[in-house]
Amino acid sequence: MGFIEFIISFLKDPRTYIAAWIIALGPVLVYCPLFLVVFIETGVVFFPFLPGDSLLFACGVFSHPGMYDGLPDGEGLNLIASLLVFYAAAILGNTSNYWIARFFGARIIDSGKVKALTPERMRKLDEFFEKWGGLTIVITRFMPFFRTFAPFIAGTGHMNFGKFTLFNAIGGISWVSLFVLVGYFFGSVPFVQEHFSTIVLAIILVSVLPAIIGAVKGALASRKK
C-alpha cells in the first residue's frame, strides 16, 4: 500500500490500524507508532497532512476499558500512558520543528520543495504572530497544516526559544487532552460506536475548515486585486 493510500485509509478507519498495531506489537510497544505519527506531523514540516486529531480521538476511545471487541482483555491502551506519550510527541515535535527552522528555515523556504508552505499560509501565520504573539502556538495546535507550520515560522525569527517552549507546552497539553479525553468519555456512547468513521471524518472536516476558509478568502482577495 502506498503512503497516500495508507493515510486515506487510516483517516477513514483509524480503529482498525490501532487494533492491528496493538495485536502485532503488544500494549506497550504500540505506543511507538502512535508517538511517531504525532511527532512527525508536528515536527517535520514536510508532513502536515498526517491524521493527528483523528488519531488522538481514536486512541482516547481505545483507552476506555473494553471498548474494542477485537482485542483480548486488558490489551487496549491505557489513558494515562496515552496522554503522556502524546504530550511528549506533541511538545518534542514542535521543538524539533522550531530548531529545523532555526538552522535550515531560509534554505527550505527558498528551495520551494515544501509545496504546502505556500505564501498565503506564511502570510496568514505572520498575521497570527502579529496579532496573538505566543498564543499563535496554542491556537494553531487545533488547526491542521497551521500547527505544523507555526513552530517552523516561530523558529525563523518570530520568537525566542524560552517563550516558544512555554506556549508549546500549553498548546500541546491542551490539544492532546481535548481529543484524547473526548474520545475516552464519549467513545462508549452507542451512537459514536455505530457512526465512528463518520464522526472521525467530521472531526477532520471541522479541523481543516479554518484553513479552507482562509484559502478561499485569499483566492478571492487575489482575484479582486
Side-chain angles (χ1 to χ4, degrees), residues 83-148:
L83 288 170
L84 292 177
V85 165
F86 288 131
Y87 289 157
I91 293 170
L92 292 175
N94 262 18
T95 302
S96 169
N97 206 333
Y98 178 93
W99 285 109
I100 287 173
R102 270 290 181 92
F103 291 110
F104 308 107
R107 194 179 307 172
I108 291 172
I109 292 171
D110 293 342
S111 72
K113 292 182 178 180
V114 184
K115 303 301 181 183
L117 196 61
T118 63
E120 172 61 25
R121 288 197 180 108
M122 292 178 66
R123 182 186 64 79
K124 183 66 69 176
L125 283 168
D126 284 335
E127 293 174 357
F128 259 101
F129 275 107
E130 290 176 9
K131 183 176 182 179
W132 300 103
L135 284 176
T136 299
I137 303 299
V138 179
I139 296 169
T140 54
R141 274 290 188 181
F142 301 88
M143 303 167 65
F145 289 95
F146 287 111
R147 71 165 154 260
T148 301

Side-chain angles (χ1 to χ4, degrees), residues 63-84:
S63 297
H64 197 288
M67 281 309 301
Y68 197 77
D69 295 335
L71 295 176
D73 291 340
E75 290 199 8
L77 302 177
N78 176 274
L79 177 62
I80 301 301
S82 296
L83 288 170
L84 292 177

